[in-house]
Amino acid sequence: MILNKASTEHGKAILAASAPCAITPVTVPHYLESTYWWAYTHPNAVRVFERQWLVNLILWGNFSRLRDLALQEMGDVINGDVLQVACVYGNFTEHLVRRLGPQGHLNVIDVAPVQITNLHAKLGQQKQVTVLQQDSSALHFADASHDTVVVFFLLHEQPAEVRRKTIAEALRVTKPGGKIVFVDYHKPKASNPFRYVMVPILTTLEPFAMDLWNGQIADWLPSDCKSLALEKQTYFGGLYQKVVMTR
């Protein structure tokens, strides 16, 4: 199951005093409305899924571990500009905010207005956080504008062509020497019993996830980024992966 989504209402999109750039309202993609309305775009979705115990259960008890693995890539104290691509059910963003140093700033983008409203409710007023409605496949940030970009359980929710654009955009807005951190599903080892449990779950509820399962994140890199430094690790018998690219 997915744990995030990329978006916000234009008029309610700012948690910080000012946005990094002016943007126009974004339309929620058809694939998201038609496929994930029950999990992300319907108001009742937030009421159901915004429960820490539930998001942990969805990841078979691995939420906190995977959250911390992603955050460790940014360091104990973050003083640069970070972009979180898509809101996340659970306390991922709260833990990220706690690591922000005096010079740190977090931008969060999402494409579903209800997810933006939910993030406002979770974070309250945070002067070092800006929340914007943007589509992850067409970001409104300048090239090389962020030190770190994190994409936590988003790629498996997207059709291949959208996934490819999301990865390209994440790379585009990362500064030279900066990191892009992906955490998502991965095809587990044949000996892992969850391999056989997850197939019917993903094929029924996550129609794009099996595409990611049967490929590699590196498969969707832009042609001019194939030589980037890339580190990949898998967890929980291979069911989850963390991929870190250095720009």
Side-chain angles (χ1 to χ4, degrees):
M1 183 170 290
I2 74 187
L3 299 177
N4 30 357
K5 213 69 295 112
S7 158
T8 135
E9 289 175 319
H10 184 62
K12 299 178 181 179
I14 299 176
L15 280 176
S18 61
C21 59
I23 62 171
T24 55
V26 178
T27 302
V28 177
H30 174 71
Y31 79 85
L32 181 58
E33 288 280 25
S34 62
T35 305
Y36 290 112
W37 62 270
W38 56 274
Y40 293 105
T41 63
H42 195 283
N44 287 336
V46 170
R47 299 188 187 103
V48 172
F49 289 105
E50 189 54 85
R51 305 169 193 271
Q52 188 62 41
W53 67 266
L54 181 56
V55 294
N56 192 49
L57 178 63
I58 288 168
L59 292 180
W60 305 109
N62 287 276
F63 178 89
S64 296
R65 181 189 185 193
L66 295 168
R67 175 201 66 207
D68 292 345
L69 284 166
L71 296 180
Q72 285 168 13
E73 293 294 336
M74 306 178 208
D76 293 334
V77 179
I78 304 169
N79 278 311
D81 293 308
V82 179
L83 172 61
Q84 178 186 318
V85 182
C87 295
V88 180
Y89 286 138
N91 59 19
F92 182 89
T93 309
E94 294 95 312
H95 277 253
L96 200 169
V97 170
R98 290 173 195 167
R99 292 184 180 230
L100 293 176
Q103 304 304 315
H105 187 87
L106 172 64
N107 289 317
V108 184
I109 67 98
D110 201 289
V111 82
V114 68
Q115 293 295 329
I116 296 299
T117 300
N118 182 46
L119 186 59
H120 277 272
K122 290 199 294 182
L123 294 184
Q125 292 296 322
Q126 297 280 351
K127 65 179 182 179
Q128 291 175 277
V129 182
T130 303
V131 184
L132 297 165
Q133 181 181 17
Q134 294 192 26
D135 188 323
S136 64
S137 65
L139 298 175
H140 291 263
F141 294 107
D143 295 354
S145 54
H146 292 80
D147 297 281
T148 308
V149 176
V150 59
V151 185
F152 191 81
F153 280 94
L154 173 65
L155 297 182
H156 75 277
E157 304 165 0
Q158 299 182 319
E161 64 275 13
V162 179
R163 184 183 308 135
R164 189 182 303 276
K165 292 176 181 178
T166 292
I167 293 172
E169 285 291 272
L171 288 163
R172 179 184 66 78
V173 302
T174 304
K175 297 177 182 178
K179 286 183 178 180
I180 307 94
V181 182
F182 299 96
V183 176
D184 220 304
Y185 286 112
H186 183 270
K187 188 174 185 178
K189 301 174 182 177
S191 59
N192 187 342
F194 285 92
R195 174 173 179 150
Y196 309 99
V197 173
M198 290 300 295
V199 168
I201 293 175
L202 294 179
T203 53
T204 301
L205 299 176
E206 307 273 9
F208 312 117
M210 294 305 295
D211 181 45
L212 178 64
W213 179 310
N214 291 316
Q216 301 289 332
I217 290 176
D219 296 340
W220 291 279
L221 286 176
S223 58
D224 61 345
C225 295
K226 298 290 186 181
S227 61
L228 288 182
L230 182 152
E231 296 181 5
K232 173 183 170 182
Q233 292 179 289
T234 61
Y235 308 92
F236 200 62
L239 181 58
Y240 307 113
Q241 63 179 315
K242 179 185 70 174
V243 173
V244 180
M245 300 178 191
T246 302
R247 197 72 171 97

